[in-house]
Amino acid sequence: MIIYVSNAIEFRNAVDANEITTNIEKAFKEKTGRYPGSSEKASWNNSMQFMERIIRNSGVADDCGVFIEFNIPNTRMRVDFIVAVLDKKGNKNFVIIELKQWSSANTTEKKDVITYVGGGNKQVAHPSYQAWSYKEHLINLNEGIHTNNLNGYSCAYLHNYIERELEPLKEEQYSDYLKESPIFFSNDYKKLQEHLFNLVGEGNGMDILHTIATGKIRPSQKLIDHVTGLFKGNQEFVLLDEQKVAYETIMSLVTEQETKKTIIVKGGPGTGKSVISMNSLGTLLNRGFNAKFIAPNASFREVMLERLIKENPMDRARIKGLFSGSGQYYNCKLNSFDVLIIDEAHRLKRKGAFQYKGENQVEDMIKTAQTSIFFIDDTQRIRPEDIGTVDEIKRVAAQYDSEVHEVELEAQFRCAGADGFINWTKDALQIEETGNFNGWDKKAFEFEVLDTPQEVYAQVKEKNDNERLTELIKNIYKTLLSRGMKGCYVYCRDKKLETYLRERLAIIRSH
């Protein structure tokens, strides 16, 4: 979705007449159905004055194209500013410019930065990385761009920021970002003007904008090859026994025929649903299908990404567009994708769920894909708004004349593979009557009720030398600390942990 589009001369005239913010606000209301916030309007009013001077003084042609606030389809990403035009050699180019109101920033131990935004100091992405990630997303997933040989470029412009002698945003740890996406500060306006002129010096930019705006979502061959390479040799995604059989069954069902299909893969915790779903994504992409991986839970998506890319932030930006939440498909057209792979489908939501504007996410998935693959465990629904059940999927599939195929996973690899214990917990919690109502093979898996927390701690500590327990506990803490929407408040029973967290917070506050 494009909020505002014009050619260069119309943009300059609107700024000169002090009408640009009003025009963007009007377009914003028409496109989104809501009014922009006061901070958004203030940023437009400020940033567009700077961009008008850059466009005018760079000498780019009057008919170059200008996008303002371009919402990348099926994401929450909004690109601040895009200029599109031919260069002197006749190449079709577009430049993404990430605009920031910042006046200062500092480094972190990671490759992001800390700056004052939204009323306080926050850890955010480096502006060059942000601009580059938007460009990569468009190049890799916009069919209009990669089939019409459009060349994408990106940069960041911090027009209120006076560069320091030893500028934190240019430190060595950000060199990869800066190479791909240069950064320009307040005093660099002439450098930015020259940079733009070299990339988009000629005219005829509106056709290029139209190509971008109408391009369908489809991964490029370059992206497919890259993702396939990430799976090769990755032990995290090796299929075992029954998982391999289920995977091959799914692959045999996904064909290029026009028949609409719904595949339901049922399995409890530890049966390998996620390993199968990720392998399915890689194979289907490699076979030329327009496929996407969907998981309602953001933390779960991050875990899947981390397992695939091994923490490489550049890889993350390249492939992140293949992963998404489930709340963005309510207004998609019928069969927009060849395949949607929905992991943890039991967490799909109904109308009224936080930030979801549609009616039924199960219906969104089935409507949007020629083939929808649901990985589900009915017993893992934990919230009232969770509507992902096998029965609901079948009901909606019938509504859309979609063939239903079911795949059952039984062998599980958690709890030391003790199926008996899993069955006993189902019986004990009155979820399902099972043959293990009176117990299981105790040698396969230990379960004891202890008298005190100290005894629990002692037993866990004793086992620690045998599972990756410390790593798992760290992941649990990370998940809990990232659950909040506007803040996180913690009380620590463990005083050493409390001291450690306070020391880390003191470092942030000292900056």
Side-chain angles (χ1 to χ4, degrees), residues 412-449:
Q412 60 87 32
F413 299 89
R414 294 181 192 168
C415 303
D419 290 331
F421 174 72
I422 298 296
N423 292 333
W424 179 81
T425 60
K426 289 180 181 178
D427 199 285
L429 296 173
Q430 299 179 12
I431 294 173
E432 177 185 333
E433 291 187 4
T434 71
N436 291 87
F437 67 92
N438 61 346
W440 69 96
D441 179 5
K442 300 299 191 301
K443 295 179 181 178
F445 187 78
E446 292 184 28
F447 177 72
E448 298 290 342
V449 177

Side-chain angles (χ1 to χ4, degrees), residues 86-207:
L86 300 176
D87 65 14
K88 292 180 179 180
K89 297 180 180 179
N91 298 311
K92 299 175 182 178
N93 297 342
F94 68 93
V95 183
I96 287 174
I97 306 173
E98 177 64 22
L99 301 171
K100 294 297 184 188
Q101 308 286 321
W102 304 356
S103 57
S104 66
N106 286 297
T107 61
T108 68
E109 293 179 357
K110 299 180 181 179
K111 294 185 74 173
D112 47 22
V113 299
I114 287 180
T115 191
Y116 186 87
V117 291
N121 288 322
K122 294 184 180 178
Q123 199 162 302
V124 296
H126 190 286
S128 291
Y129 173 81
Q130 192 174 353
W132 174 80
S133 67
Y134 292 163
K135 178 199 69 176
E136 284 294 300
H137 187 104
L138 285 174
I139 289 176
N140 288 323
L141 289 165
N142 186 303
E143 188 176 39
I145 291 175
H146 56 73
T147 59
N148 288 280
N149 298 317
L150 304 190
N151 301 307
Y153 300 89
S154 60
C155 63
Y157 183 29
L158 283 61
H159 47 74
N160 295 332
Y161 194 121
I162 299 175
E163 182 179 358
R164 287 176 268 182
E165 185 175 349
L166 296 175
E167 176 50 51
L169 294 181
K170 285 188 171 180
E171 287 199 3
E172 179 61 27
Q173 63 177 322
Y174 308 122
S175 59
D176 290 345
Y177 304 160
L178 297 169
K179 181 180 178 181
E180 295 283 347
S181 189
I183 191 168
F184 298 93
F185 298 96
S186 175
N187 296 331
D188 293 330
Y189 60 92
K190 289 185 179 180
K191 293 179 182 178
L192 177 55
Q193 289 166 189
E194 182 179 356
H195 181 70
L196 277 182
F197 182 75
N198 290 334
L199 295 175
V200 292
E202 300 300 316
N204 197 26
M206 298 305 290
D207 289 343

